[in-house]
Amino acid sequence: MSGPDLCPRPRGVRRGAALTLVFTSVLLTAAATNCLPRAEQHPVPLAAGPAAASLDPREGHTTRGGDRTVQDVRRAAAEAEADGKSASRAAEEAVGRSGDRWGAVYDKAEYEQYADALDGRYTGVGLWVARAADGRTQVTRVQTGGPADRAGIEPGDHLRSIDGWAADGQPVTDVVARLRGDSAGSKVALGLGRGSRSWTQTVDRAVLDTEDVSVRNLSAQVVMIKVAAFTKGTGEQVRTAVRRAPKGAGIVLDLRGNSGGLVGEAVTAASAFLPGGLVATYDVHGAQRALYASGGGDAARPLVVVIDGGTMSAAELLTGALQDRGRAVTVGSRTFGKGSVQMPTGLAGGSVAELTVGHYRTPSGHGLDGRGITPDLPVTDRPLEHAETVLSGLGGTS
């Protein structure tokens, strides 16, 4: 399962599914960025106009003013609203002119969904889907206790239609967007198939947890921790999983397809494996700052991090810290290369702009943006098997 598409994509591909929680590997190219409202606050009601700047890297960040691009975007939105035109569209055009590849504009409803995604929630029916080789849309997983589970839908079922819309042959992003709908409690009619049986099942959408951390034993001495996205609480879930791992067991930290999310959660996850010290440095409007792990992490347990081209943003920040600090061996393929910092700015009409203000670097000073991270052991086939082999050499298997 891939993580929620939490943050803006490069212009031209970000719209449409930019806020859709997609639970299939097709969104490995989702360009989630380090655009982080405070985890403990709902970030929607941002006032238009200049605001006091503040950035707490452990918690996320809030709005700021004074930047020329910010002023241009705010002015465009305000003038459009005064003329009775779309403030969001005018703001998008201003972002496009700015040359900010990762800039994005959300209307109020979109930003509310964005905030829910960062909090680890989504509205839907609890289905993971993928397009099969024959073009059919197939259910790959059903969330325990969710609406689909209660309705008796099972993995392997054929999802034929959604409210009469034929799902076969359609992009998975479009399928998931229709499953999500507008609000919890709304009904959706699902056309399903299982073997020779075909039927239609109506279910009520609900607010569900994204379940971004999963843990399973690959063997008696290897525990795999899969992190799909860094949403609220995932860092502590990683720490708990490490504490509960059997004594002497090695850890495979699977960050493949992790599209990023809350930087504070990535720092907490790093703290599970480090005794303290530097995780990353970053600049905001030229001011240099740093992120540090808290003390008390398990710095001795053998660790392998598995990465790929869908590992982005906050996930790259974590990977870079563990690699540069000599704490983990990295296995897989080069990561995406998304190391810039975005901050939200409230606009006229209630929309929100996310604009780039700086960049992250690993503890050794390596920039991530456009470069990514090269694994210590580059592999494309059976990366988990290679990870277990590496762990055996580190003393993590017997």
Side-chain angles (χ1 to χ4, degrees):
M1 157 179 112
S2 74
D5 187 5
L6 298 174
C7 301
R9 301 172 176 225
R11 288 187 311 281
V13 297
R14 67 172 183 260
R15 303 303 294 177
L19 291 164
T20 301
L21 289 171
V22 179
F23 300 103
T24 68
S25 60
V26 299
L27 282 196
L28 294 184
T29 55
T33 64
N34 298 316
C35 45
L36 312 173
R38 290 183 178 271
E40 74 278 8
Q41 297 176 352
H42 204 280
V44 174
L46 297 177
S54 65
L55 171 60
D56 181 347
R58 297 182 184 273
E59 298 295 340
H61 60 248
T62 57
T63 189
R64 84 320 177 202
D67 179 86
R68 179 178 176 182
T69 300
V70 175
Q71 294 174 351
D72 290 345
V73 173
R74 282 177 175 154
R75 184 183 305 110
E79 290 176 352
E81 186 178 46
D83 292 339
K85 299 178 182 179
S86 171
S88 295
R89 183 172 300 175
E92 285 185 338
E93 292 174 354
V95 172
R97 291 192 298 270
S98 74
D100 185 349
R101 182 188 180 205
W102 300 105
V105 177
Y106 304 105
D107 62 29
K108 184 176 181 180
E110 288 175 331
Y111 206 65
E112 286 174 346
Q113 293 182 19
Y114 168 91
D116 283 344
L118 287 174
D119 279 343
R121 303 189 306 267
Y122 73 102
T123 299
V125 299
L127 289 181
W128 281 251
V129 297
R131 191 161 69 183
D134 60 4
R136 296 191 308 165
T137 297
Q138 187 172 42
V139 175
T140 58
R141 180 183 165 191
V142 180
Q143 186 162 346
T144 302
D149 182 38
R150 295 194 299 270
I153 300 172
E154 300 177 358
D157 285 349
H158 174 200
L159 179 61
R160 298 181 296 108
S161 63
I162 304 168
D163 287 333
W165 177 78
D168 288 343
Q170 301 291 346
V172 174
T173 51
D174 291 351
V175 174
V176 174
R178 287 176 180 268
L179 288 172
R180 282 176 53 84
D182 297 323
S183 61
S186 60
K187 296 183 181 297
V188 57
L190 305 178
L192 298 156
R194 184 184 303 161
S196 60
R197 178 191 174 199
S198 297
W199 77 102
T200 298
Q201 182 79 48
T202 299
V203 297
D204 295 334
R205 297 181 178 92
V207 177
L208 303 170
D209 293 333
T210 55
E211 299 183 353
D212 289 315
V213 178
S214 59
V215 183
R216 66 184 178 97
N217 295 331
L218 298 181
S219 69
Q221 288 297 309
V222 179
V223 176
M224 184 179 77
I225 303 174
K226 169 70 175 177
V227 186
F230 286 105
T231 53
K232 186 176 181 180
T234 54
E236 190 55 43
Q237 290 178 54
V238 171
R239 297 189 69 164
T240 298
V242 173
R243 287 195 294 265
R244 292 177 177 175
K247 184 177 180 180
I251 299 289
V252 172
L253 180 63
D254 188 355
L255 298 180
R256 291 175 297 168
N258 185 315
S259 54
L262 293 166
V263 167
E265 297 296 337
V267 173
T268 300
S271 300
F273 304 103
L274 296 171
L278 185 64
V279 173
T281 59
Y282 64 98
D283 63 273
V284 175
H285 296 305
Q288 300 296 313
R289 305 184 187 183
L291 298 164
Y292 294 95
S294 60
D298 188 337
R301 190 184 295 272
L303 175 64
V304 173
V305 180
V306 185
I307 55 178
D308 67 5
T311 305
M312 309 175 191
S313 193
E316 291 178 284
L317 181 148
L318 171 58
T319 302
L322 296 176
Q323 184 184 60
D324 278 10
R325 297 279 302 273
R327 179 61 187 89
V329 176
T330 53
V331 173
S333 53
R334 183 187 293 272
T335 62
F336 184 83
K338 174 66 187 70
S340 58
V341 185
Q342 279 71 42
M343 288 187 179
T345 296
L347 304 175
S351 57
V352 178
E354 289 275 352
L355 303 172
T356 300
V357 297
H359 295 83
Y360 283 92
R361 292 184 178 275
T362 68
S364 295
H366 300 300
L368 301 175
D369 220 38
R371 298 182 178 88
I373 295 172
T374 300
D376 300 311
L377 177 61
V379 297
T380 55
D381 296 328
R382 302 185 302 278
L384 291 181
E385 293 181 19
H386 288 285
E388 287 192 77
T389 301
V390 171
L391 274 180
S392 67
L394 296 175
T397 62
S398 59

